[in-house]
Amino acid sequence: MASEPILLFLHGVGDGDQDDNWRVRLTETLVRVGYPELDKNRLIAPKYAHSLVGSDDKDPLPSLTIKLPPREASKKNRRDFERRIGAVEFRLGRHDRGNGRPGGDAVINLAVGLPPFLQARNYLKNPQIRAQVLNRILKMLPESGRLVIVGHSLGSVIAADLVRRLPPGLDVAGMVTIGSPLANGQFDVDKLRETLAEPPTNLAWWVNFWNGHDPVAAHRGVSSVFPWMIDFRIQTKMSPRVHDAVEYLTDETVAEAIGFALFGSRSKELAVIDQGLDIPLDSSERLALLALRYGYLIKMKLEGDLRDRYSGALRQVQATAVDSIRWRNDREGRAMPSEVGRLAFDLSDPHATAPEPLPSSHLAKDDAVVLLTILAAENVIRPFEISVPKDARQDAMKELTAEMGLGSQYGADVFAAAKRAQEALSGGRGVNWIKGGALGAGAAAIAVATGGLAGLAGAAVITSALAGFGPGGMIGGLLAAGNLVTARGDGIAIGLANSGTTAETLEAVVARPLAAAILRQLQHLEQDGAVWRILVETEIVVRREHERLDEFSDESAPALKELKRKIEAIERALKYLRENGLEPGVPPSHPDETGPAPRSAFRKALAPR
């Protein structure tokens, strides 16, 4: 059999679209979005309207041929499926399951009992009719090859019922359901929800489309009952035929999903991804490449299941980062640097290889302090959260700093400094590694608390990062975190004291510059004298806020407890600086540690070269 998939179209109630209007409409839409026309020789469209009315055969219900894998294999199958479905979502848009329409289920339940929906009722309630329909479809299918299933209305129920009964040699390259009632409890035929509790091993991905005006869909998708698949909402004009298959197949996103399953990338897409121009990197691009390289080095230190999951997450982060930079640069009229462009790949193709981020260029030791302190502490695979052994992260950092011409000891000192900072702030509670990403998220919180970072030096840089990339992504989070650590002015103290900023966020903000100061000491670099001043100013503002609330609030008030925790964290940081010769005016521990460092170390480190 040829490698190209066969399209199986499963119709809903009615006469089964004897004229195949669905095919005409789908072909038109596929061509419009850049795919080839449908090949009639690679279509299977069974007509089973007569079978839904009554039973002529006495065939038994087809058995389940696709068995559930054992526990460990099931976990891998689920992860592989998530990777494929994530790629499809990246291509088509954002998942939208809907929230249902009040009374929607009641309307569907009533409709199923009416004469026009006798066929649906028969499939749900009559095992012999159900077996007859499934057997009729299976007899038309090949024993091996690849299949793309499109199911409309009742056809979506039949598709879900069929997928685990297919011949073992027949893989489903993609399943697209439209106008599906599967979220309604009446359509849980023969405990279908239990049968499909996990994605079948023969199914590459499943997406469902629901129309906002379609009463059968009841303003929701079907991921509420099959949470491993994804839903997309489309919107057509209100009409009596809003539920018809041809209406759904007019939508370009629906055609894109079907076309991608059948043909892969569209013919209108560039065969070769634009590699960009040989221009200098800006700060955001430089940070993104460094973070991706660090993530790659971490991945190479992992093994087994952990490496597999981390690789999948990093793959999506890389594609998203490149796409975000491309989108931002297009908006700003900036070309794509070749160093970024070479990392692009088609995420929607699960077999596409993500290009390896190249080793980073050299940075001066002083310029790298804040940058690497932030990189080591933050989560470079945001928004994914995967616990990685500290040894793997530390070894990756040592390799990264060696590549940058800083030496591997510099990377070891980055983590040693972070550990000392955390020990200093823990107050005898033991080392408490602050959750990765807390500072990036904290930047957004402080922005809100201070009314847009008013009065905070460097605020424009942070605000630009949040606006250009968003605080939830890897790039925006790292930029915001780095600039927040090096921020100067009264605004930072006010923002940290504000009740909208948690004690955990303050600890994250304090820990990073404290770790940077320790790293400078370990590497015998000049100190940034502003760190002490900012901590003192912050302590004054936090104490003032505590005294203001303490006068009238209950002793056990949560706000007072948060402020007390903030004060203790700042006191401990100042104590460490004082006792280790890092207070301005106090002789340093090393004779070559003198004078303040430039205030814009983070932005200087990321400046174009």
Side-chain angles (χ1 to χ4, degrees), residues 460-538:
V461 180
I462 300 176
T463 304
S464 174
L466 296 177
F469 297 100
M474 179 267 285
I475 303 176
L478 290 174
L479 278 172
N483 282 291
L484 188 57
V485 167
T486 57
R488 303 294 183 261
D490 296 337
I492 184 66
I494 296 172
L496 291 173
N498 191 284
S499 59
T501 304
T502 66
E504 181 185 33
T505 297
L506 179 139
E507 288 174 347
V509 174
V510 170
R512 278 30 167 202
L514 178 59
I518 297 170
L519 178 58
R520 289 181 183 279
Q521 187 177 52
L522 291 173
Q523 286 288 317
H524 309 290
L525 302 173
E526 290 182 325
Q527 286 296 326
D528 182 355
V531 172
W532 176 272
R533 179 176 58 81
I534 291 297
L535 288 174
V536 170
E537 290 176 356
T538 303

Side-chain angles (χ1 to χ4, degrees), residues 20 122 140 151 161 169 197 225 276-277 291 295 313 324 332 358 361-362 368 429 466 475 529 594:
D20 285 340
N122 284 344
M140 301 180 68
D161 200 7
V225 293
L277 301 176
S324 297
E332 297 179 357
L358 297 177
S361 57
H362 172 72
R429 291 177 285 139
L466 296 177
I475 303 176
T594 57

Side-chain angles (χ1 to χ4, degrees), residues 2 14 35 129 173 216 224 230 250 266 339 379 402 473 510 600:
Y35 285 109
I129 287 180
V216 174
S224 58
I230 56 176
T250 302
R266 291 176 293 175
E339 291 182 68
N379 177 13
V510 170
S600 56

